[in-house]
Amino acid sequence: MTTIRREVLTLPAAALGTDNPLPPLRPLDEAHRIDDRDRAALPRDMARQIDYEPLRSLLPVRIRDGYDRTRPPGRIDALVIENDRLRATVLPGLGGRIASLHHKPTGRELLYTNPVFQPANFALNGAWFSGGIEWNIGATGHTTLSCSPLHAARVPAPDGSQMLRLWEWERLRDLPFQIDLWLPEGSDFLYAGVRIRNPHERPVPTYWWSNIAVPEERRVLAPADEAWHFGYERRLRRVPVPLHDGADRTYPLNSRYAADYFYEVPDGRRRWIAALDAHGHGLVQTSTDVLRGRKLFVWGTGPGGRRWQEWLTEPGTGGYCEIQAGLVRTQLEHVRLEAESELSWLEAYGPLDADPEGEWHAVLRGAEERLETALPRAEVDAAYAAWKPHADTEPGESLATGSGWGALEVLRTGWKLPGTPFEESTLGDAQQPWLHLLRAGYLPEPGTHEPPGDTLVARPWRDMLETAPATPVTEYHLGVAQWHAGDRAQAERSWERALATAPAGWPLLRCLAVADQEGGHHERAADRYAEAFDDLCERRGGDERWTAVTAALGREAVEALLAAGRTADARTVWERLGPAVRARGRLRLTEAGLLLAEGRHEEARAVFGDGFEVADLREGEEAIGRLWGRLGPEPLPARLDFRMRPDGD
């Protein structure tokens, strides 16, 4: 019989630390943007969906950059769902990631399992980690829930056994979703029933990709003769499968640079993707037809790709690639989810044995025949039909608790969401000011030594802020919401009004400084950053939140002052950061830039010689290489080479 039990994983684990307290006002830093030269060659539906409301802001989500690269032994809560054939290990506190899928009869692990927990800056909002099966919802990129808790509970399965239900409120698009995992008795396949709901009275863009990490010494099979190739040079091009530029790209190690291959699976063809080793053993993922897209991501064999592979785990660990499944052909697109409607589908994950070698179409036919024998397409459709009535079943025993943001939205709207209860008991400290606004009509004043909390930016909350008493805290949050809505002039006016009476000016001055930068007023931005940092230093406390805000605001201030040519003022800010903050890898990189601006090249080079590590180095970021290039003609050391595209692109 299928069982669900609790377990604790013990492994080297970096702490997530404190989130960045500064609201992310700048445009989204996301690598998946295409060159305009490629748009004319795109199919109409693809072009339309690429242009359909791409995400431009992370608000109301905060940036998660408080982690480091120190990995003491750690304990991670897990839920294990198991039958007599498969054992799936799920991490409800880390986005519901399936960390392991173990096939008992053969003793094989079907996924790439990371032996450490090491966050890195790949999620839309920062912290993400590699390995397993992750569920990406929201917008192009890795979900903001990558390292966040989901709600989890037991639910009756269609066959009378138990399902593990995961659910949360996705905040970028304000959409609730659920994932139901179950293992029919005697089955070699894990089923995942997924549902995204739009309870709003308006259409909402949505997005979904299931990302499956598998060892890279594989051949990846998908039923396609063409793919859309996308690399970090931001070109989207149609290429043949499997041979492209003289190499068979279905072998991940045949690519030198990191790249996506979005497969053109013909209409009517069964949706599936597999990764098989040289002996023909591996994993297959298949689904009902709603989950249309299939993709291969490779890191490549170049120095940058290999360095990233090392960076995400520990030395001696094998590399991995990702096979993926999504709602549309590419991850650059978003789907229109109509008002008061939903999307749902079923996925299945399990072992596949087939010959990976030989002529492409013969290999595909053989693999499809083996898949049809192991799990007929009709059986997947029947499993979906059997699951659908159970999607509304109310959960039983609670196994994990997610955030309180869904509960707050349900209290505001009165929405009924059968199957995914967002209980008032899940409300936490972050939601309390907004619950007070909802019930009393005004925001409570924060404590004297409290940095500002999260800002809600959706239109209903902005309307409430506009009608609430115009206190400094209300004007601060109203300005953030107006900025998110694109009304920048009103946002600046709100912050300026608050500044006149606010007990602490630094949060408002920082917002105004960002507005100045975005408007091209760099000298005024530098003034405001300097004033904001002075004000912060007079008021900051000693706990982790204040350390986080000091590091974040100090770095922004130094960079703004350097951009304005005010090197001496930047040095003054730097000296006031404190030894612990200055020792952080990101701030060491800032220090090297400051030393270069001061003409102290040898001291800047010495910073690089110290071997600092920028824990939150961004996917595709080239700041280290550019700064190194200013030091002289020597080639970039291998430990600093994170370049993910060919030189010159």
Side-chain angles (χ1 to χ4, degrees):
M1 292 292 293
T2 302
T3 61
I4 300 173
R5 70 177 189 275
R6 299 177 191 272
E7 194 170 277
V8 176
L9 303 184
T10 302
L11 71 168
L16 281 167
T18 304
D19 291 353
N20 190 324
L22 304 180
L25 300 177
R26 291 184 175 85
L28 182 67
D29 177 18
E30 220 295 302
H32 296 84
R33 297 282 188 269
I34 69 168
D35 192 301
D36 286 339
R37 290 173 289 176
D38 296 330
R39 289 182 177 272
L42 301 180
R44 288 185 180 180
D45 62 332
M46 183 187 291
R48 182 175 62 253
Q49 289 173 156
I50 286 174
D51 291 334
Y52 177 52
E53 296 196 34
L55 192 69
R56 304 190 187 283
S57 168
L58 276 176
L59 289 166
V61 176
R62 286 189 166 183
I63 294 172
R64 311 202 69 180
D65 60 0
Y67 50 87
D68 58 23
R69 293 187 55 78
T70 302
R71 296 192 290 264
R75 293 166 60 85
I76 297 177
D77 290 334
L79 298 170
V80 176
I81 178 169
E82 183 171 17
N83 67 1
D84 57 333
R85 310 285 294 179
L86 278 179
R87 180 172 63 248
T89 303
V90 183
L91 309 180
L94 295 170
R97 183 80 59 100
I98 298 179
S100 168
L101 189 61
H102 179 79
H103 188 234
K104 295 180 180 181
T106 60
R108 296 189 191 116
E109 173 58 51
L110 301 181
L111 305 173
Y112 165 80
T113 60
N114 197 332
V116 305
F117 174 67
Q118 177 57 64
N121 193 357
F122 277 72
L124 286 165
N125 63 331
W128 169 89
F129 64 107
S130 64
I133 303 171
E134 58 175 304
W135 317 106
N136 289 298
I137 183 173
T140 298
H142 292 282
T143 178
T144 62
L145 296 167
S146 291
C147 292
S148 296
L150 304 189
H151 302 282
R154 298 179 194 268
V155 183
D159 62 357
S161 63
Q162 301 179 77
M163 286 194 299
L164 173 60
R165 176 164 297 164
L166 306 165
W167 73 98
E168 239 312 345
W169 194 275
E170 200 288 309
R171 300 182 66 205
L172 295 178
R173 303 300 197 182
D174 268 335
L175 297 177
F177 70 98
Q178 72 188 77
I179 306 158
D180 287 352
L181 302 173
W182 81 100
L183 285 164
E185 186 174 357
S187 175
D188 281 317
F189 285 84
L190 173 69
Y191 289 157
V194 183
R195 176 167 66 168
I196 305 172
R197 284 190 275 198
N198 176 14
H200 302 278
E201 296 179 348
R202 55 180 172 79
V204 176
T206 192
Y207 171 95
W208 185 278
W209 281 81
S210 301
N211 289 14
I212 309 136
V214 292
E216 64 184 351
E217 298 87 0
R218 297 289 186 270
R219 189 180 197 189
V220 173
L221 309 180
D225 293 326
E226 292 183 307
W228 293 91
H229 173 274
F230 183 80
Y232 285 82
E233 61 274 24
R234 302 192 175 186
R235 302 300 304 273
L236 183 64
R237 303 167 181 166
R238 195 193 297 258
V239 299
V241 174
L243 296 174
H244 170 53
D245 279 352
D248 188 332
R249 304 297 175 175
T250 62
Y251 294 89
L253 292 175
N254 281 352
S255 292
R256 180 160 177 78
Y257 297 102
D260 299 326
Y261 292 91
F262 299 105
Y263 294 110
E264 273 281 7
V265 180
D267 291 342
R269 193 81 178 262
R270 184 174 184 178
R271 266 54 183 165
W272 64 276
I273 190 167
L276 305 179
D277 65 19
H279 303 288
H281 307 310
L283 173 134
V284 65
Q285 186 272 1
T286 187
S287 71
T288 49
D289 289 351
V290 167
L291 205 64
R292 174 184 181 180
R294 293 298 184 275
K295 171 194 161 182
L296 165 65
F297 168 75
V298 299
W299 284 102
T301 59
R306 305 329 292 172
R307 184 68 181 105
W308 273 116
Q309 293 259 33
E310 297 169 355
W311 185 255
L312 296 172
T313 181
E314 63 183 5
T317 304
Y320 77 96
C321 63
E322 290 177 0
I323 58 175
Q324 306 183 15
L327 286 172
V328 281
R329 279 175 290 194
T330 76
Q331 288 174 321
L332 310 173
E333 303 166 69
H334 297 93
V335 174
R336 179 184 173 99
L337 187 54
E338 298 297 340
E340 299 177 335
S341 69
E342 64 180 49
L343 269 173
S344 62
W345 61 91
L346 184 109
E347 304 180 45
Y349 298 83
L352 182 69
D353 292 317
D355 187 355
E357 303 297 333
E359 192 273 331
W360 178 241
H361 294 102
V363 169
L364 291 182
R365 282 194 301 272
E368 282 187 314
E369 289 170 1
R370 298 302 295 269
L371 173 58
E372 187 65 18
T373 300
L375 183 65
R377 184 177 186 179
E379 193 171 311
V380 175
D381 293 336
Y384 170 73
W387 164 72
K388 197 65 172 66
H390 291 260
D392 284 346
T393 301
E394 290 304 312
E397 178 193 1
S398 175
L399 299 172
T401 303
S403 78
W405 295 113
L408 185 65
E409 289 303 318
V410 168
L411 284 173
R412 181 183 66 80
T413 61
W415 283 326
K416 305 299 182 185
L417 299 168
T420 55
F422 293 95
E423 304 289 354
E424 191 169 347
S425 60
T426 63
L427 293 168
D429 291 344
Q431 292 84 41
Q432 290 305 318
W434 300 96
L435 181 63
H436 194 278
L437 174 65
L438 181 64
R439 290 177 167 169
Y442 66 94
L443 283 173
E445 288 297 318
T448 306
H449 296 295
E450 294 285 332
D454 295 71
T455 300
L456 295 182
V457 297
R459 181 59 186 266
W461 293 105
R462 191 168 81 245
D463 290 345
M464 280 186 261
L465 290 169
E466 287 174 345
T467 58
T471 62
V473 66
T474 300
E475 295 280 27
Y476 164 79
H477 287 295
L478 176 58
V480 175
Q482 290 166 332
W483 182 268
H484 175 265
D487 195 346
R488 297 190 169 188
Q490 283 288 6
E492 292 181 53
R493 281 192 283 271
S494 294
W495 293 326
E496 287 166 349
R497 283 195 302 269
L499 194 57
T501 57
W506 66 264
L508 298 153
L509 287 164
R510 184 264 176 177
C511 289
L512 288 166
V514 173
D516 285 335
Q517 285 183 319
E518 292 298 306
H521 306 295
H522 298 290
E523 186 63 39
R524 190 167 66 195
D527 287 339
R528 280 174 161 160
Y529 264 121
E531 186 180 353
F533 192 75
D534 284 345
D535 186 66
L536 172 66
C537 289
E538 292 177 6
R539 303 175 187 281
R540 62 187 173 187
D543 64 18
E544 290 182 355
R545 291 171 303 171
W546 288 105
T547 301
V549 79
T550 299
L553 183 58
R555 174 190 161 197
E556 289 186 11
V558 169
E559 291 174 353
L561 289 162
L562 288 177
R566 292 165 54 174
T567 308
D569 292 336
R571 170 60 62 182
T572 299
V573 170
W574 171 261
E575 296 295 342
R576 298 179 70 184
L577 286 173
V581 171
R582 291 200 300 263
R584 295 185 177 192
R586 176 63 72 173
L587 273 297
R588 295 303 310 279
L589 185 63
T590 301
E591 179 188 16
L594 174 58
L595 289 165
L596 271 174
E598 293 171 329
R600 299 157 67 181
H601 284 63
E602 291 306 313
E603 291 171 79
R605 183 180 291 278
V607 172
F608 280 92
D610 290 343
F612 68 89
E613 293 184 316
V614 182
D616 64 329
L617 190 69
R618 183 66 175 162
E619 173 189 10
E621 184 177 345
E622 298 176 351
I624 291 178
R626 286 197 300 267
L627 196 57
W628 177 266
R630 293 169 57 192
L631 291 171
E634 292 85 356
L636 188 65
R639 67 179 180 82
L640 301 177
D641 190 351
F642 292 91
R643 292 172 294 184
M644 298 177 74
R645 59 177 180 159
D647 289 340
D649 284 334

